């Protein structure tokens, strides 16, 4: 998978550095994700992969460097940042569905408030999206009444409701019971096959192998490998990647 | 106890005057306090600074001093009005600081992920505060807010010393002072009148707490 030089990258990071206090969590990150590419970010915990993901819509501000989404640099706090975030879908490890709103309200809230979509149209697109992720029959329940897998699928529908240009997934299956992981991965896989630009931080090696175009391996805040899934799993170059794979693939 | 029945009209008028002062001051301090809490969690530093300064000044100043400033300071800078409104202004300025901190504690009790998700779908700070954070904060805020409001009702007794005639504290002053009635029965009547305001207020808050707890 090579980035074409003609189309601007959907996500571009240039010389990005980020510190938590004295801890250097992102070290000189340079990354370009072209439109339609599915990138899986792997790495041991504490390697900075979640921070990388959250920096793209400025949930984590960076200390130096440049981040662009669809050719536009990230604005500072304010209305423009809100507009940019509206075009970047985000799915969290802990779902973060709005606890006091029904599933349907969760999905339609941003289209109504941010896009000023008419209520009837919002309801229609909401139901279509819930149907697509397979939980249309849960529309009027509250998040706490749903299983983890259903909640995460609702969260994906909520992000898709804004018709985002790119979707960020921050360990979307890590908080799920094992039997619910597949239903969420299925939704993500179908999204990937439809050409959505995706950056997925995950520990699901099966998903990385099957759905990803590209694997980025991070360790200690650095990008150690940037390659195809095939090459990463069969012939990793760096010692740290070999060590990581050795630990997770032995079972 | 005859003094209570003989002066029933005086007590009744005092009761309603106190009730009126408290109603205005409650609405004012709840609105102002919530806005200040929004300031304190805002991403805009000057707003945070205003919120923090307000709390530090008014929470750490005796209410009597705030009342003095309103009653005698405001006319000096050209703001004139009835002592009735000055006393309400003072109660609002003072109580809003406590409301602000109660609401802020409620905001802090809402998991950070809720605000992150709100920002991630493109809501502005104001939208996420009013549609996502505050509706969930209400649940934890009702009990401490109840204490603040009941304290405010009792604090309203102080405005009686500032020439707002006819409220409950002034009634006791009139009866025991200029009419020379025995203090104990007069004050018993005053206590009953205050309890008639504060006990229903407490019951209402208990009901409200149960109501917002279910609504989720």
């Amino acid at each position: 998978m090579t980035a074409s030089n003609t189309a601007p990258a959907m996500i571009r990071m240039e010389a990005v550095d980020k510190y938590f206090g004295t801890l250097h969590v992102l070290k000189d990150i340079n990354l370009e994700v072209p439109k339609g590419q599915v990138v899986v970010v792997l790495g041991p915990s504490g390697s900075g992969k979640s921070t990388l993901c959250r920096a793209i819509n400025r949930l984590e501000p960076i200390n130096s460097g440049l981040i662009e989404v669809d050719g536009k640099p990230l604005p500072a706090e304010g209305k423009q940042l809100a507009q940019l975030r509206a075009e970047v879908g985000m799915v969290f490890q802990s779902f973060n569905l709005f606890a006091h709103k029904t599933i349907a309200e969760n999905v339609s809230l941003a289209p109504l408030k941010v896009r000023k979509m008419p209520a009837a149209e919002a309801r229609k697109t909401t139901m279509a999206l819930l149907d697509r992720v397979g939980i249309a029959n849960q529309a009027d329940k509250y998040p706490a009444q749903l299983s983890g897998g259903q909640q995460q699928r609702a969260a994906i529908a909520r992000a898709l409701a804004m018709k985002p240009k790119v979707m960020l997934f921050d360990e979307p299956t890590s908080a799920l019971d094992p039997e619910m992981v597949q239903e969420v991965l299925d939704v993500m896989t179908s999204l990937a096959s439809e050409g959505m630009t995706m950056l997925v931080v995950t520990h699901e090696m099966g998903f990385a192998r099957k759905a990803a175009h590209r694997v980025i391996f991070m360790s200690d805040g650095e990008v150690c490998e940037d390659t195809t899934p095939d090459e990463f799993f069969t012939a990793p170059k760096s010692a740290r990647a070999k060590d990581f794979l050795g630990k997770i693939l032995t079972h | 106890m005859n003094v209570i029945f003989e002066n029933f009209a005086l007590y009744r008028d005092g009761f309603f005057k106190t009730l009126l002062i408290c109603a205005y001051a409650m609405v004012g301090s709840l609105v102002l306090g919530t806005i200040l809490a929004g300031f304190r969690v805002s991403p805009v530093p000057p707003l945070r600074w205003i919120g923090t300064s307000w709390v530090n000044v008014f929470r750490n100043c005796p209410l009597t001093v705030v009342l003095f400033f309103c009653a005698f300071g405001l006319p000096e800078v050209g703001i004139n009005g009835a002592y009735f409104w000055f006393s309400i202004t003072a109660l609002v300025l003072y109580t809003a600081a406590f409301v602000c901190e109660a609401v802020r504690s409620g905001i802090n009790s809402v998991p950070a992920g809720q605000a992150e998700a709100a920002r991630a779908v493109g809501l502005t700070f104001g939208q996420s505060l009013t549609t996502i954070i505050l509706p969930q904060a209400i649940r934890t805020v009702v009990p401490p807010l109840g204490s603040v409001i009941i304290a405010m009702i009792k604090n309203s007794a102080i405005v009686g010393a500032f020439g707002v005639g006819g409220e409950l504290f002034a009634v006791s002053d009139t009866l025991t002072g200029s009419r020379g009635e025995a203090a104990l029965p007069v004050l018993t009547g005053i206590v009953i009148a205050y309890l008639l305001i504060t006990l229903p207020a407490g019951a209402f808050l208990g009901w409200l707490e149960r109501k917002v707890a279910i609504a989720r």
Side-chain angles (χ1 to χ4, degrees), chain A residues 54 85 96-98 100 113, chain B residues 113-114 116 119-120 131 136:
Chain A
R54 291 162 55 84
R85 282 171 172 156
N96 294 349
L97 289 171
F98 305 131
H100 62 309
K113 292 263 173 194
Chain B
Q114 296 286 309
E116 282 192 350
R119 280 185 281 156
T131 59
Q136 296 189 64

Side-chain angles (χ1 to χ4, degrees), chain B:
Chain B
M1 288 293 161
N2 277 343
V3 64
I4 300 174
F5 300 107
E6 283 160 11
N7 296 288
F8 184 75
L10 204 56
Y11 272 103
R12 184 197 59 208
D13 293 347
F15 173 83
F16 283 115
K17 188 101 176 226
T18 292
L19 196 62
L20 191 66
I21 291 172
C22 291
Y24 279 124
M26 183 181 80
V27 173
S29 56
L30 285 179
V31 171
L32 181 61
T34 307
I35 293 171
L36 286 170
F39 279 14
R40 287 209 70 176
V41 298
S42 143
V44 184
L47 293 183
R48 280 206 300 274
W49 185 81
I50 291 172
T52 311
S53 307
W54 191 291
V55 169
N56 281 335
V57 169
F58 286 102
R59 195 173 59 170
N60 296 315
C61 225
L63 174 59
T64 324
V65 176
V66 178
L67 267 163
F68 262 117
F69 262 97
C70 287
F72 306 123
L74 289 181
E76 272 186 34
V77 293
I79 302 170
N80 285 295
Y83 278 140
F84 177 76
W85 290 109
F86 283 150
S87 66
I88 288 173
T89 306
L91 272 178
V92 168
L93 298 180
Y94 177 82
T95 311
F98 293 87
V99 170
C100 168
E101 288 303 89
V103 171
R104 193 169 66 92
S105 77
I107 289 173
N108 289 342
S109 77
V110 178
Q114 296 286 309
E116 282 192 350
R119 280 185 281 156
V121 291
L123 297 186
T124 60
F125 173 76
Q127 286 174 324
S128 74
L129 194 65
T130 52
T131 59
I132 304 300
I133 307 302
L134 286 177
Q136 296 189 64
I138 284 289
R139 276 178 274 160
T140 23
V141 157
V142 170
L145 221 45
S147 304
V148 169
I149 294 304
I150 286 173
M152 187 205 72
I153 294 170
K154 296 185 291 177
N155 284 340
S156 76
I158 299 176
V159 310
F162 279 81
V164 180
E167 56 75 62
L168 281 171
F169 185 83
V171 169
S172 77
D173 208 35
T174 308
L175 290 176
T176 55
S178 50
R179 298 208 197 159
E181 301 277 2
L184 211 55
V186 169
L187 290 174
T188 306
I190 298 295
V191 166
I192 292 170
Y194 271 111
L195 288 179
L196 279 176
I197 301 176
T198 49
L199 287 179
F204 169 75
L205 287 160
W207 170 83
L208 188 65
E209 191 182 340
R210 285 190 298 278
K211 176 146 172 82
V212 292
I214 298 165
R216 60 162 298 174

